[in-house]
Amino acid sequence: MAEVAAAGGAGPDVNTTGNPTEMAMAYLQDEKTDGDIPDINLGELDLTTDEFILDEVDIHIQANLEDDLVKEALKTGVDLRQYSKQVESELQRIEQASIKDYIKESQNIALLHNQITACDSILERMEGMLSGFQCDLSSISSEIQTLQQQSVSMNVRLKNRQAVRSHLSQLVDELVVPGAMISTILDSPVTEQGFLEQLHELNNKINFAKELSFRETLACSDIQDIVDRLKLKAVSKIREFILQKIYSFRKPMTNYQIPQNTLLKYRFFYQFLLANERTVAKEIRDEYVDTMSKIYYSYFKSYSGRLLKVQYEEVADKDDLMGVEDTAKKGFFSKPSLKSRNTIFTVGQRGAILSPAELEGPILVPHTAQRGDSRYPYETLFRSQHYALLDNGCREFLFLSDFFMVTGNSALDLFNSIMGKTLSMFLKSMSTYVSDCYDSIAVFLCIHIVLRFRAITVKRTIPALDKYWEAVLELLWPRFELILEMNIHSIRNTDPQKLGVLDTRPHYITRRYAEFSSAIVSINQTFTNEKTHTLLGQLQVEVENFVLKMAAEFPSRRDQLIFLINNYDMMLSVLMERAADDSKEVEGFQQLLLARTQEFIEEILSPPFGGMIAFVKEAEALMEKGQLDRLKNDEARITQLIRGFSSSWKQSVEAMSQDVMRSFTNFKNGTSIIQGALTQLIQYYHGFHKVLNQPSFRSLAVRSELINLHHLMVEVKKHKPNF
């Protein structure tokens, strides 16, 4: 039945209004014609037609031979005629059965056909509806595209209008001069915040008007007149205000830093003038330069003059040199001022001025010092004067850079136009002082003050005073070198015979050198200068030569050594108070002192123990050569040495100790020499024991009288001074 239904759905057109039986018969007739029942298909060959072609017959025969049923029949040897009849009868039977089935299901087939027809109509209507929908959607899509294009176009127009509106709004805002601006510029004081704000707005409108005039904008002419009049009014008020502030600097006892700070608060005023009225800006700048130049010059000239009134009255002159003998000059060295006991060769507390607290401390107030009857060395006045210059110079340079908006060389030129006259006055005053100055410590302290002040300006990044510092150093360094060379020549040319009575105590010239050298070395440690080291080295050589020349005046070697040791010890002690232990000067005098001390120890041991010392040295020399037997015959000499030492060593040590303590001014140095002498004595006596223990002398009976070395060391310790 399924096959029948399928055949009905795919069959030819059937009259749905006819008899179902007729419809079934017609359908079966079609099935008979188009059926797919296996057959030889000879019915398809029309042998009676004119279109018959034998080739086609062959093709059909060949095709039928390929059929499976035909092949099976041929293989089994079945008679084809009989087989054809059998097949035909079978087909008829099946055909009859199929007809019955179709007839039986004719109602269903007709119903199915009607349903299919109804579905076709429904689908046709749906197709019509969908086609309408498709047309509508196509129309909507085109409308959306149109709307999108319109939206994009409107958006572009909106942006263009907004851009134009912003430009036009800005243009209108810049062109319009509000009444508040006019009233503020005309009526408000320049110190009010509102005036400053409106001045900024006016400056913007002036710049905008200039820009529009370059573009030849017609609207610019509408506001040009009122903007120009407001500009002139603002310039006039600003000029009057700034000039009043500058003129206020000229009032006596005025702290000009206060009006300067006020001007910095309104620094835009000068910027406005510089941009819109350069003539007035130049007038204000020139007026400020002229006023401040006179103020600084007057202030520093007056201050420097008052400072000189509190300087020490006693100052060094050309005769105050190291090599000048005390008897050749009265007063300065022999009777120093009670108010200033330090000589020009002693730094004392003067070096404290280089400490940070003193260096950047408050400046001196001359009238206060005069009321207290205080006096100061020149370097203190120099420090106060130049610290005031440093402080004011740095502040002025910063003010000029900020208010007048200058940098680099322009700022330096403006600064020099203000401070140049003052700096020239300082250099002239310095040159006058230096040309007649013989106080080398004062000059050297001034040099280091300048070096430190220069470092401060570098730290503050203020280059304004750099050239001035260099000019001052060019004045001070040559003078310091000249004074030092004069002292070197004075020592070199000193005649020992003109220095009075000989004395083994430290000489005053060496003391001067020690004080001076320690002062220079201690000051120079922070800012090392090789030129200074070279000059000090020359001075040290001359002092060493002078000490040797003085020592040569003593008749005995013992007095010469005492003189040398006392002077070396004194110079070393003074140097070590201020200079570093590893300085060249300290190391040099330590070596000289050690060498002379060893020589002196040998000198003082020689009188009481010279025989034993000579014997020990001779015996040790022979021992090294293996010739000690040459001393076998010196039994009498050895006996005398042993008994002489045993009987007198205590008295000799006591006398030697007392003599040493009397000879040396430095108690510590004297005790050190005594200890060294006793230690050397024990070493010689130990060598004496060692020689007598040799086989050549073991048979001597006098060996039993030798003092036990340990006992001698215990007794010697009793003679060592305690301190």
Side-chain angles (χ1 to χ4, degrees):
M1 291 303 297
E3 292 177 358
V4 172
D13 293 337
V14 179
N15 188 3
T16 58
T17 59
N19 191 307
T21 304
E22 293 178 356
M23 291 172 58
M25 291 299 292
Y27 188 83
L28 289 174
Q29 185 62 40
D30 291 337
E31 284 292 323
K32 182 178 180 181
T33 304
D34 301 328
D36 52 0
I37 299 174
D39 201 349
I40 302 176
N41 296 327
L42 294 177
E44 296 178 1
L45 299 175
D46 189 358
L47 299 178
T48 63
T49 62
D50 295 334
E51 297 177 356
F52 174 74
I53 300 174
L54 293 178
D55 292 338
E56 293 182 358
V57 174
D58 293 336
I59 293 171
H60 283 283
I61 293 174
Q62 187 63 34
N64 289 327
L65 289 177
E66 296 296 327
D67 188 81
D68 293 337
L69 294 176
V70 175
K71 286 181 179 181
E72 182 67 23
L74 291 176
K75 287 181 180 180
T76 56
V78 177
D79 186 0
L80 294 177
R81 295 181 183 88
Q82 185 63 31
Y83 185 74
S84 175
K85 290 179 179 180
Q86 181 181 352
V87 169
E88 186 178 356
S89 62
E90 183 69 21
L91 288 173
Q92 290 177 355
R93 186 182 61 79
I94 293 171
E95 181 181 3
Q96 293 298 323
S98 297
I99 291 171
K100 291 179 180 179
D101 288 338
Y102 277 114
I103 293 172
K104 183 178 178 181
E105 297 295 332
S106 61
Q107 294 294 331
N108 293 333
I109 293 171
L111 181 61
L112 178 63
H113 181 74
N114 292 333
Q115 291 176 349
I116 291 172
T117 302
C119 288
D120 284 342
S121 63
I122 293 171
L123 291 174
E124 184 178 359
R125 288 197 302 273
M126 291 182 65
E127 182 180 6
M129 291 174 62
L130 292 176
S131 297
F133 288 155
Q134 184 177 8
C135 292
D136 293 341
L137 289 175
S138 298
S139 175
I140 291 172
S141 175
S142 63
E143 290 178 0
I144 290 174
Q145 289 179 352
T146 302
L147 291 174
Q148 184 178 9
Q149 292 174 355
Q150 292 176 354
S151 175
V152 171
S153 176
M154 292 175 66
N155 189 34
V156 170
R157 289 198 299 271
L158 176 61
K159 288 182 178 180
N160 292 336
R161 289 177 181 178
Q162 287 177 343
V164 171
R165 179 181 179 181
S166 65
H167 287 298
L168 288 176
S169 176
Q170 182 180 0
L171 177 63
V172 171
D173 290 341
E174 294 291 344
L175 287 174
V176 172
V177 181
M181 175 185 291
I182 297 173
S183 61
T184 302
I185 295 296
L186 294 178
D187 302 328
S188 297
V190 296
T191 55
E192 289 187 1
Q193 183 64 25
F195 181 87
L196 185 61
E197 293 174 357
Q198 294 300 330
L199 189 66
H200 278 280
E201 291 297 326
L202 177 60
N203 188 58
N204 292 334
K205 291 185 182 299
I206 293 172
N207 293 332
F208 190 70
K210 290 179 181 178
E211 183 180 351
L212 292 180
S213 66
F214 292 146
R215 301 177 185 174
E216 298 181 354
T217 304
L218 297 178
C220 178
S221 59
D222 296 338
I223 65 165
Q224 190 66 49
D225 181 59
I226 188 170
V227 167
D228 290 341
R229 284 187 290 171
L230 286 176
K231 180 181 73 172
L232 292 176
K233 183 62 177 178
V235 167
S236 175
K237 295 177 71 173
I238 291 172
R239 174 183 177 277
E240 182 180 358
F241 170 75
I242 296 179
L243 288 179
Q244 284 179 354
K245 291 298 178 183
I246 294 175
Y247 293 152
S248 67
F249 295 167
R250 302 176 180 179
K251 296 179 182 179
M253 307 299 293
T254 299
N255 184 359
Y256 58 85
Q257 295 175 10
I258 295 176
Q260 273 187 339
N261 293 334
T262 303
L263 288 177
L264 285 177
K265 183 179 178 181
Y266 301 103
R267 64 173 63 86
F268 180 73
F269 287 173
Y270 183 79
Q271 182 179 348
F272 180 83
L273 295 178
L274 194 64
N276 300 288
E277 198 64 48
R278 287 186 173 271
T279 305
V280 177
K282 184 177 184 303
E283 177 191 3
I284 288 177
R285 176 169 166 170
D286 293 342
E287 190 66 32
Y288 178 84
V289 169
D290 182 65
T291 299
M292 293 307 298
S293 176
K294 293 177 180 178
I295 288 174
Y296 280 125
Y297 180 79
S298 175
Y299 166 73
F300 279 108
K301 183 178 181 181
S302 174
Y303 182 67
S304 300
R306 291 197 301 268
L307 279 179
L308 292 177
K309 294 179 181 180
V310 295
Q311 185 181 1
Y312 282 136
E313 296 178 358
E314 293 182 348
V315 294
D317 58 30
K318 61 181 180 180
D319 294 324
D320 294 320
L321 302 173
M322 287 186 193
V324 175
E325 57 272 15
D326 279 345
T327 56
K329 183 175 181 292
K330 295 181 180 180
F332 194 85
F333 294 112
S334 59
K335 294 181 180 179
S337 172
L338 294 176
K339 296 178 182 177
S340 175
R341 293 186 179 276
N342 291 328
T343 69
I344 59 171
F345 301 109
T346 305
V347 68
Q349 297 300 319
R350 297 167 69 182
I353 198 171
L354 297 178
S355 64
E358 291 283 341
L359 191 69
E360 300 183 51
I363 63 174
L364 290 178
V365 182
H367 63 271
T368 303
Q370 284 180 316
R371 283 202 303 266
D373 200 20
S374 300
R375 292 291 183 268
Y376 301 95
Y378 178 77
E379 66 272 6
T380 302
L381 310 182
F382 180 88
R383 196 281 317 175
S384 183
Q385 181 187 46
H386 282 79
Y387 187 67
L389 174 65
L390 168 69
D391 193 38
N392 285 277
C394 290
R395 184 181 294 107
E396 185 65 29
F397 183 80
L398 293 175
F399 173 82
L400 295 175
S401 300
D402 197 0
F403 185 78
F404 291 104
M405 298 178 296
V406 289
T407 57
N409 292 330
S410 299
L412 293 177
D413 293 340
L414 184 58
F415 178 84
N416 290 329
S417 64
I418 293 175
M419 300 295 294
K421 190 175 179 182
T422 301
L423 298 180
S424 298
M425 182 262 293
F426 271 21
L427 290 175
K428 184 177 180 181
S429 175
M430 282 291 301
S431 178
T432 303
Y433 168 78
V434 166
S435 63
D436 195 36
C437 176
Y438 296 91
D439 187 352
S440 53
I441 291 182
V443 176
F444 197 63
L445 285 172
C446 290
I447 290 173
H448 278 265
I449 289 171
V450 171
L451 293 175
R452 284 161 174 78
F453 281 168
R454 185 172 64 179
I456 291 174
T457 56
V458 170
K459 185 177 180 181
R460 296 181 183 179
T461 62
I462 305 294
L465 294 171
D466 289 352
K467 291 184 178 180
Y468 174 74
W469 299 135
E470 294 298 330
V472 174
L473 291 176
E474 288 177 1
L475 286 174
L476 295 176
W477 270 120
R479 188 63 187 181
F480 175 72
E481 295 172 9
L482 176 62
I483 299 173
L484 212 54
E485 289 173 356
M486 291 173 65
N487 282 286
I488 292 172
H489 289 300
S490 70
I491 294 176
R492 183 183 301 157
N493 299 330
T494 298
D495 186 357
Q497 296 181 356
K498 295 181 179 180
L499 297 180
V501 181
L502 292 176
D503 191 347
T504 57
R505 289 176 296 181
H507 199 273
Y508 58 83
I509 291 181
T510 57
R511 179 170 291 278
R512 292 173 187 170
Y513 162 77
E515 295 287 353
F516 176 78
S517 181
S518 65
I520 298 301
V521 170
S522 62
I523 295 170
N524 199 53
Q525 285 175 350
T526 51
F527 281 78
T528 304
N529 184 273
E530 292 300 325
K531 190 184 302 182
T532 305
H533 284 306
T534 303
L535 292 172
L536 285 179
Q538 297 176 9
L539 182 61
Q540 181 179 351
V541 170
E542 295 300 330
V543 170
E544 290 175 3
N545 293 335
F546 166 75
V547 173
L548 293 176
K549 287 193 297 183
M550 286 297 299
E553 296 294 317
F554 291 92
S556 66
R557 183 57 180 169
R558 177 180 176 280
D559 290 340
Q560 292 177 0
L561 292 173
I562 292 173
F563 177 81
L564 291 173
I565 292 172
N566 277 329
N567 280 275
Y568 291 153
D569 177 65
M570 181 274 298
M571 289 188 285
L572 186 61
S573 300
V574 174
L575 282 170
M576 291 183 68
E577 289 179 2
R578 298 184 180 276
D581 293 343
D582 58 349
S583 66
K584 181 180 178 182
E585 291 79 10
V586 171
E587 290 180 352
F589 284 114
Q590 281 177 339
Q591 295 174 2
L592 291 172
L593 178 61
L594 180 61
R596 299 290 79 80
T597 300
Q598 290 297 325
E599 185 179 352
F600 179 75
I601 288 174
E602 296 291 337
E603 187 71 23
I604 61 174
L605 288 176
S606 181
F609 309 109
M612 181 187 69
I613 294 172
F615 176 80
V616 170
K617 291 181 178 179
E618 182 182 359
E620 288 177 348
L622 291 174
M623 284 173 63
E624 291 180 0
K625 298 178 182 179
Q627 300 175 359
L628 190 58
D629 292 340
R630 295 173 57 181
L631 296 177
K632 279 186 176 182
N633 299 325
D634 288 347
E635 182 177 352
R637 178 186 175 189
I638 294 172
T639 301
Q640 182 182 359
L641 291 175
I642 293 174
R643 291 174 179 173
F645 183 84
S646 301
S647 62
S648 63
W649 74 270
K650 289 184 179 181
Q651 295 82 357
S652 299
V653 168
E654 185 67 30
M656 181 177 63
S657 299
Q658 294 177 1
D659 182 47
V660 169
M661 296 307 295
R662 287 193 303 267
S663 300
F664 296 100
T665 56
N666 187 346
F667 178 78
K668 185 177 180 180
N669 185 42
T671 56
S672 176
I673 292 174
I674 292 174
Q675 291 179 8
L678 295 178
T679 301
Q680 189 67 31
L681 175 62
I682 292 174
Q683 290 179 354
Y684 279 132
Y685 198 70
H686 179 263
F688 191 51
H689 268 263
K690 185 178 179 181
V691 171
L692 295 182
N693 283 332
Q694 297 300 315
S696 301
F697 304 107
R698 288 178 183 174
S699 60
L700 295 178
V702 76
R703 288 182 66 251
S704 60
E705 299 181 21
L706 282 171
I707 299 175
N708 182 270
L709 186 60
H710 180 69
H711 176 70
L712 178 63
M713 292 174 63
V714 173
E715 291 295 327
V716 164
K717 285 183 180 180
K718 296 179 182 179
H719 292 274
K720 287 185 177 181
N722 297 319
F723 60 95

